[in-house]
């Protein structure tokens, strides 16, 4: 019974596959029977058009009988020819898939494309954290990982001329990405509790040894870890930039002692970019050279006889 079920499933798969190649099958016959007025005529027409006994072969069958060629041998020869044609069609399809895969890999290996994929990965992982979803249960994470693998392995594919999708390491889904999401949870906990960074770093757990090995051995792990590391740094620098821009416009309204303490507190360190250091230096220079504007003077009195003349009443 199990063999029969397996054989039946194979026939169903074969029927769908044949229809995908443009050969009429069960769906075509079902549609024809649904839309026809004479089902028997529709079945006969389907057999005539798609059966082995094609109209052009009917006159040749008596000729085959004269040479004592068995119908079974004839059917076997036709079946072999159909199998060969199907095999050739499957080569053509595989070649087409190779070209598509090669073009797609060259598109995804572009730095801007990889940057978009990595940023989307970070955003999707944050979504998993906020909704209590494991990375392996999110299809977007799996798709983005496959796209990243295809982009990073594009040149290897071109050099080897083996246009196949790189085999995805299952550990990236079930082990590495959960490590990243756990660190994201720790970052959120630090921001929610308001604990000092120094205290949190002191109690922070060292990543597992396999985490370091993953980064060393695979470019996909390396890229994901790099973007996770850059994301908190970029967010901190953006906050500092916005704060410097705000102080740039309101520094003259702050008390001197408070402004001095504020400038000391937002001073950038070695972790910040050169642009932030330049912006801070310009702000300090602006504060030092700031001079309050002259107070508004009252208008001078005009020495004219018209000053004493009353204003005429409106008509």
């Amino acid at each position: 019974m199990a063999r029969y079920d397996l054989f039946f499933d194979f026939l169903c798969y074969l029927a769908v596959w044949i229809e995908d190649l443009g050969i009429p099958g069960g769906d075509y016959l079902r549609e024809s029977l649904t839309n026809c007025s004479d089902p028997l005529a529709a079945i006969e027409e389907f057999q005539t058009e798609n059966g082995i006994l094609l109209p052009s072969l009917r006159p040749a069958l008596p000729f085959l009988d004269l040479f004592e060629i068995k119908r079974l041998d004839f059917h076997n020869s036709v079946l072999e020819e159909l199998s060969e044609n199907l095999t050739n069609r499957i080569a053509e399809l595989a070649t087409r898939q190779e070209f598509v895969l090669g073009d797609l890999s060259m598109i995804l290996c572009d730095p801007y494309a990889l940057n978009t994929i990595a940023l989307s990965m970070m955003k999707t992982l944050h979504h998993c954290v906020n909704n209590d979803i494991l990375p392996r249960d999110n299809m977007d994470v799996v798709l983005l990982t496959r796209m990243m693998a295809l982009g990073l392995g594009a040149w290897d594919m071109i050099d080897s001329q083996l246009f196949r999708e790189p085999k995805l390491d299952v550990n990236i889904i079930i082990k590495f990405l959960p490590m990243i999401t756990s660190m994201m949870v720790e970052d959120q906990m630090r921001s929610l509790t308001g604990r000092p960074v120094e205290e949190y770093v002191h109690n922070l757990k060292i990543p597992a040894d396999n985490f370091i090995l993953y980064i060393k051995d695979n470019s996909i792990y390396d890229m994901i870890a790099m973007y996770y590391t850059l994301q908190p740094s970029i967010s901190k620098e953006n906050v500092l930039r916005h704060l410097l821009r705000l102080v740039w416009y309101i520094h003259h309204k702050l008390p001197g002692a408070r402004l001095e303490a504020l400038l000391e507190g937002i001073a950038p360190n070695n972790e910040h970019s050169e642009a932030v250091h330049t912006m801070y230096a310009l702000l300090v220079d602006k504060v030092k050279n700031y001079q309050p504007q002259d107070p508004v003077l009252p208008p001078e009195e005009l020495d004219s006889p018209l000053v004493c003349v009353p204003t005429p009443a409106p008509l």
Side-chain angles (χ1 to χ4, degrees):
M1 188 66 180
R3 292 183 178 178
Y4 175 77
D5 294 338
L6 181 61
F7 180 69
F8 180 75
D9 294 338
F10 173 74
L11 289 179
C12 294
Y13 172 76
L14 185 62
V16 175
W17 181 44
I18 289 177
E19 290 182 352
D20 292 338
L21 296 178
I23 301 176
D27 293 340
Y28 177 82
L29 179 59
R30 189 180 301 108
E31 184 179 357
S32 300
L33 292 176
T34 304
N35 300 325
C36 71
S37 58
D38 189 357
L40 295 178
I43 294 175
E44 183 178 358
E45 181 181 0
F46 180 83
Q47 292 176 341
T48 302
E49 293 179 353
N50 302 285
I52 294 179
L53 294 177
L54 297 175
S56 59
L57 291 179
R58 286 182 178 177
L61 292 179
F63 182 73
L64 295 176
D65 294 336
L66 292 177
F67 285 92
E68 297 182 354
I69 298 177
K70 298 180 180 181
R71 298 294 176 91
L72 178 61
D73 297 336
F74 168 70
H75 287 297
N76 288 335
S77 63
V78 174
L79 182 60
E80 291 177 0
E81 185 177 357
L82 288 175
S83 300
E84 184 178 357
N85 291 336
L86 286 175
T87 303
N88 294 334
R89 178 64 173 166
I90 295 172
E92 291 177 4
L93 293 177
T95 304
R96 253 177 233 179
Q97 184 179 4
E98 289 179 358
F99 284 124
V100 173
L101 197 60
D103 294 341
L104 182 60
S105 64
M106 294 307 298
I107 294 174
L108 295 178
C109 75
D110 183 80
Y112 292 100
L114 286 174
N115 177 66
T116 302
I117 294 173
L119 292 178
S120 300
M121 174 69 78
M122 294 297 105
K123 182 178 180 181
T124 307
L125 290 178
H126 277 291
H127 174 77
C128 292
V129 170
N130 296 331
N131 293 275
D132 296 331
I133 301 174
L134 292 175
R136 64 187 178 189
D137 296 332
N138 189 295
M139 297 306 299
D140 291 338
V141 172
V142 179
L143 177 61
L144 290 170
T145 306
R146 293 175 59 190
M147 294 172 64
M148 189 179 296
L150 195 59
L152 293 174
W155 287 109
D156 294 336
M157 185 185 302
I158 298 300
D159 294 338
S160 63
Q161 291 296 304
L162 295 177
F163 296 95
R164 299 176 183 175
E165 184 177 356
K167 186 178 180 180
L168 191 63
D169 187 4
V170 67
N171 289 326
I172 191 173
I173 302 295
I174 65 175
K175 293 183 179 181
F176 183 76
L177 291 181
M179 293 180 186
I180 297 293
T181 54
S182 65
M183 289 188 286
M184 289 181 174
V185 172
E186 291 179 354
D187 294 338
Q188 291 185 0
M189 290 297 297
R190 182 178 66 247
S191 61
L192 290 175
T193 56
R195 295 168 61 184
V197 178
E198 294 77 8
E199 179 183 351
Y200 209 87
V201 171
H202 179 72
N203 298 324
L204 193 63
K205 297 180 180 179
I206 300 176
D209 294 336
N210 53 354
F211 182 86
I212 307 299
L213 294 177
Y214 288 149
I215 296 176
K216 290 182 178 179
D217 296 339
N218 194 298
S219 58
I220 304 177
Y221 297 93
D222 189 18
M223 188 170 188
I224 295 176
M226 179 183 67
Y227 269 81
Y228 163 71
T229 306
L230 288 176
Q231 200 170 32
S233 301
I234 293 175
S235 61
K236 291 179 181 178
E237 182 157 328
N238 287 337
V239 171
L240 182 56
R241 287 189 179 188
H242 287 297
L243 187 57
L244 291 174
R245 191 176 293 111
L246 177 63
V247 178
W248 180 277
Y249 290 103
I250 67 170
H251 68 89
H252 58 281
K253 297 183 178 180
L254 297 176
R258 187 172 183 181
L259 178 60
E260 184 178 355
L262 181 60
L263 290 176
E264 183 178 354
I266 63 175
N269 51 34
N270 296 331
E271 297 180 356
H272 295 93
S273 64
E274 183 179 354
V276 173
H277 283 273
T278 303
M279 188 174 182
Y280 179 79
L282 292 175
L283 175 61
V284 173
D285 185 67
K286 182 178 181 181
V287 171
K288 288 182 178 180
N289 298 327
Y290 173 75
Q291 294 181 356
Q293 297 180 356
D294 296 333
V296 179
L297 299 177
E300 298 181 357
E301 295 183 0
L302 298 178
D303 186 12
S304 173
L306 294 178
V307 175
C308 300
V309 177
T311 304
L315 297 177

